[in-house]
Amino acid sequence: MKVILLENVAKVGRKYEEHDVAPGFGRNFLIARGKAKLPQEFSETQLKDLRERAENEQKQKKEAQALVASELAGKSVTILAKASDEGHLFAGVKKEDIKEAIVKDLNIDIDSDLINLDQALKSVGSHKIKIGEEGELEVIIEAEK
């Protein structure tokens, strides 16, 4: 069954792309939840217009992300966290914690998706975090008594 996605769907595709999916998945999940429509519901010009608009939005988003990443380059934020005597954190520092510290300390609004962090930070000290594709930020985690 062919469907056109109305939003990004993990492991299926991106917004306004046409995909061939299993009939049950298409009817019962994608169409029922408003995540997709049948191709017959769109004219060629509508679909072309939607795809161009999505492409422009993606370009603008990428430019904004590059600007934020360049603003953060070479800067550092400090996060206080509870740690053991050996320097191991009781709760890891996640993307959301780093985002809050950036907003609080540097007054820069950032999307947490820009922060490239594979797993939570679990130790006290200085950590280099990649921001976007080109920026780098130093996150300093200090023990809280």
Side-chain angles (χ1 to χ4, degrees), residues 29-44:
F29 181 76
L30 295 175
I31 294 173
R33 294 202 169 118
K35 295 178 182 280
K37 285 188 176 183
L38 295 172
Q40 297 87 340
E41 296 180 40
F42 294 99
S43 70
E44 278 299 316

Side-chain angles (χ1 to χ4, degrees), residues 30-75:
L30 295 175
I31 294 173
R33 294 202 169 118
K35 295 178 182 280
K37 285 188 176 183
L38 295 172
Q40 297 87 340
E41 296 180 40
F42 294 99
S43 70
E44 278 299 316
T45 55
Q46 284 177 323
L47 197 52
K48 184 179 177 185
D49 185 44
L50 290 173
R51 286 180 179 152
E52 286 176 3
R53 194 175 327 148
E55 210 173 278
N56 289 338
E57 288 173 7
Q58 186 69 18
K59 283 180 186 176
Q60 290 175 350
K61 184 177 178 183
K62 209 168 205 174
E63 289 171 2
Q65 289 175 348
L67 181 64
V68 168
S70 66
E71 285 181 40
L72 290 173
K75 297 192 177 170

Side-chain angles (χ1 to χ4, degrees), residues 3-22 25-26 28-37:
V3 295
I4 295 177
L5 299 175
L6 300 177
E7 59 186 64
N8 294 342
V9 179
K11 299 182 181 177
V12 178
R14 302 184 63 71
K15 192 174 186 177
Y16 302 126
E17 289 180 350
E18 186 172 332
H19 285 278
D20 198 14
V21 296
F25 180 66
N28 300 327
F29 181 76
L30 295 175
I31 294 173
R33 294 202 169 118
K35 295 178 182 280
K37 285 188 176 183

